[in-house]
Amino acid sequence: MTFVSIIIPYNKPIRYLKSCLESIRDENLEDFETILILNGAKKDKSQVKSIIGDYKEDLNIITKTFEEEIGVAKARNEGIDMASGEYVYFIDSDDYLYTGGLGKLVEIAKETDADFINGQRIKTYFIRDRFEEELEKRKEKKKVEVKDDTDLYNSIRLLVSNSRESEVLTALHALIKRSIVTPIDGEDIRFDESKKVLSDYAFIVKVLDKSENFKFSDDAIYAKKIRGDQFNSPSLNQSTENFFGLAMDEYENILPVIDNLEDSEKRDKLKNRITEKLVRYYLYEYSRQYRSNNDDIWRTTYFDRFSQISNNFNLDYIDKNKKELKALQNHDRETMEKYMNRRLGYIKAKSIIKNLNKDKLYRTIYVNKYNKEPIVENRIMFIAFRGDFYTDSPKYIYEYLLEKYGDKFEYVWVLDDKKAELPGNPIRVKRFSLKYYKYIATSKYWVSNGRQALRLRKRPEQVMLSTWHGTPLKRLGLDIENIYSGSPKIKKSYILNAKGWDYLVSPNRYTTEILRRAFGYEGEILEEGYPRNDILYNASEETVNKIKDDLKLPKDKKIIIYAPTWRDDEFYDIGQYKFTLKLDMDRMKEELSEEYILLIRTHYFIADRLDLSDYKGFAYDVSKYDDIAELYLISDILITDYSSVFFDFANLRRPILFYTYDLDKYEQVLRGFYIDIHEEVPGPLLFTSEEVIDAIKNIEEVKEEYKDKYDIFYDRFCSIEDGHATERICDAVWK
């Protein structure tokens, strides 16, 4: 007999399904079946079929397909009707199991024959490969302090979400006797198909009512995947407007069902746990929204609703903040606000004192003082690459405005390098200094080539021009499937950043389409070319010679620039990447030094410093040189890998070589590409140092071989660039 029927509703996106099935396979279960309900999966039909084929035998997969979207509730009900197991178990296709997550529940079920066995769910942004590491590192696997040690209480404790969000009851990660949901005598228990979300509530309460014995395991862990891309592939909750209102509806609907439970112990424990959850939501989420959200609905409609619902709170069960909650119950806004402000003020003051440091103090001054000062209408603030360099498109926009308008504007540059030479006399501020916060709060315009720090609060009157910093080759932002090197919460930051942009610069139609999707950006795009590339069309021979003189480079040698990118999986910490020079420098010097010198320019994320002391006179580390466009200008050949630098360098129509020694890994595992790198790039893919050296020595043949492909590439990606992008963009923004 089948012991457990695992029921998975699948809709989209496909990127998560493989991880879900893989995690089930790794449980090494026996006597189980996997019921996969394909719910409106027309778009990915062939890919889904392929993935199912990979796991069908190991997981004993049974499928049922619906061409239309039938919803999660109906999909689960279909799974129940198809199930033959003694127990049913629900898992969502974008979630996965931590090793042993289901196996431990099955062991308990076989030992105890309990009606209901569940484990702990942990919400996470991380992909499965990183979850275990982060679980230990961040100590997310915590034992929750309990007030009651009964199996029933702990089952309910794990059943009711521990997060601060308003969603409470879930059917996920619980083994439920099939005879409970489909009894021989009595009414079947099914999910409410009229509800798009929150259909679990009544189902679970009815299951608890019919269950006689309960077991739990804190160590049986289920990873509830939070989708970072809520713009292109939101979860049901993320795509539902007014989720808070729906959740409040469901609380009100479910309380009478709980009150009608015959078992007083179940009734009281479930109601008290839900009350505890609601109180947490009020204290940690709702009250903050009430105080600071620009949408007044939190202080009107939602306040009225929450006040009404709070009358179900049993304040005898609540330890703290009773006076505030009593005022909420009484719809006494003035008294509630008094206690709310006192409580939140105390929390904030305590946090500042406990974590007292200069940065927190500056941020507090920024929010509470500087952001209330008048905005200076002619003040423009510039920043490039986190304030590390005076460079990129912000540099060229600044110099154009300075030349055209002079002191009509007040210019502020965010620069950590005090020695950097700038034309004009701009105000200089160090990133995250007190002065920085003052100017960021009061500048009418922000000009940036990257994502702004989330701690910054753009005011409605301010205008942000995002120039971005490259034509995308490798997947970017929301299009990245797997985040390896940092927190996947970064995807949420892409959306939040883009909401602040008033203008976004693009060099071509291809980039425009990608940036819209990758950042969830819906504002105005200036498809005019990159200001930083104007120099590639306008520079004089005098400018070229000056750059070479500044770098102390010989003028009798041709120049190769090697500009590799960073690898997502090679890092020390978030934003601090490793770099290993894979070129055979001894051979390069031996074969090429009579005719060439080599400039090496690593990505600004790279933490390692290059030691080129053995190659003095041949190899130069120019990673800290401010303006890479000036390095393009003096270079005869570019060597790169997956960096987007070749899109800019192509404006010069000079040879490009691609040193792609780890192409399979980068293409299939780490990032993936937007274009077919095998067919569309304007130069050869090279995999060894010997191939690189040979291509350089025969560069004229390479140029001829790739001439037609280069022309096609230039027309697609560079044809807008003409040396006047800065002028067009400034005219659009400053009219």
Side-chain angles (χ1 to χ4, degrees), residues 304-317:
D304 294 339
R305 196 65 184 283
F306 216 144
S307 175
Q308 178 185 346
I309 288 173
S310 70
N311 283 288
N312 295 289
F313 295 176
N314 179 359
L315 296 188
D316 292 337
Y317 184 74

Side-chain angles (χ1 to χ4, degrees), residues 115-129:
D115 293 332
F116 186 94
I117 310 104
N118 65 337
Q120 182 175 182
R121 296 180 323 282
I122 295 178
K123 292 191 175 184
T124 181
Y125 283 90
F126 283 97
I127 60 172
R128 187 168 178 245
D129 290 349

Side-chain angles (χ1 to χ4, degrees), residues 334-364:
E334 184 178 346
T335 303
M336 185 201 74
E337 287 181 356
K338 180 180 77 172
Y339 286 112
M340 176 191 289
N341 292 332
R342 184 183 299 174
R343 174 175 56 83
L344 293 178
Y346 172 76
I347 291 171
K348 189 169 187 177
K350 184 179 178 182
S351 174
I352 291 173
I353 293 170
K354 182 179 178 181
N355 304 296
L356 189 60
N357 61 52
K358 191 165 59 175
D359 186 53
K360 283 187 179 293
L361 179 61
Y362 289 173
R363 288 160 69 176
T364 302

Side-chain angles (χ1 to χ4, degrees), residues 455-467:
R455 67 184 67 176
L456 303 179
R457 299 185 182 181
K458 179 182 170 243
R459 298 161 72 177
E461 313 95 296
Q462 293 179 308
V463 176
M464 175 168 282
L465 169 60
S466 174
T467 66

Side-chain angles (χ1 to χ4, degrees), residues 540-690:
S540 64
E541 185 176 348
E542 181 183 357
T543 300
V544 172
N545 287 329
K546 182 179 184 307
I547 296 167
K548 290 181 179 179
D549 288 340
D550 289 344
L551 287 167
K552 298 180 173 55
L553 302 178
K555 294 183 181 171
D556 59 342
K557 299 282 181 74
K558 295 177 184 177
I559 297 176
I560 304 164
I561 181 169
Y562 176 41
T565 193
W566 47 282
R567 269 73 174 160
D568 299 59
D569 64 337
E570 297 181 358
F571 61 98
Y572 297 111
D573 203 347
I574 294 173
Q576 295 288 305
Y577 293 85
K578 302 176 182 179
F579 177 72
T580 304
L581 189 58
K582 297 290 186 179
L583 284 173
D584 184 337
M585 293 298 294
D586 292 326
R587 287 286 308 280
M588 294 278 288
K589 182 178 180 181
E590 180 183 345
E591 299 276 350
L592 302 171
S593 60
E594 286 189 14
E595 187 176 357
Y596 293 97
I597 58 172
L598 178 67
L599 310 182
I600 301 178
R601 168 78 173 207
T602 60
H603 193 279
Y604 71 99
F605 278 175
I606 300 299
D608 298 329
R609 292 185 177 276
L610 296 176
D611 181 5
L612 299 176
S613 55
D614 290 341
Y615 311 102
K616 193 172 182 180
F618 170 67
Y620 299 78
D621 181 4
V622 291
S623 301
K624 299 302 180 184
Y625 190 82
D626 275 2
D627 195 341
I628 193 171
E630 294 183 354
L631 300 179
Y632 300 151
L633 199 59
I634 65 173
S635 298
D636 299 282
I637 300 172
L638 168 68
I639 304 173
T640 187
D641 43 20
Y642 323 113
S643 171
S644 64
V645 296
F646 69 92
F647 288 100
D648 297 321
F649 191 82
N651 284 283
L652 295 166
R653 292 184 177 269
R654 297 173 188 169
I656 303 172
L657 307 177
F658 295 86
Y659 182 37
T660 52
Y661 55 86
D662 57 353
L663 178 59
D664 287 345
K665 180 180 179 183
Y666 206 96
E667 184 175 25
Q668 297 175 22
V669 180
L670 293 183
R671 280 284 195 104
F673 305 117
Y674 286 116
I675 66 174
D676 185 345
I677 194 171
H678 301 274
E679 297 295 332
E680 297 184 71
V681 296
L685 303 183
L686 308 170
F687 301 95
T688 66
S689 294
E690 288 75 14

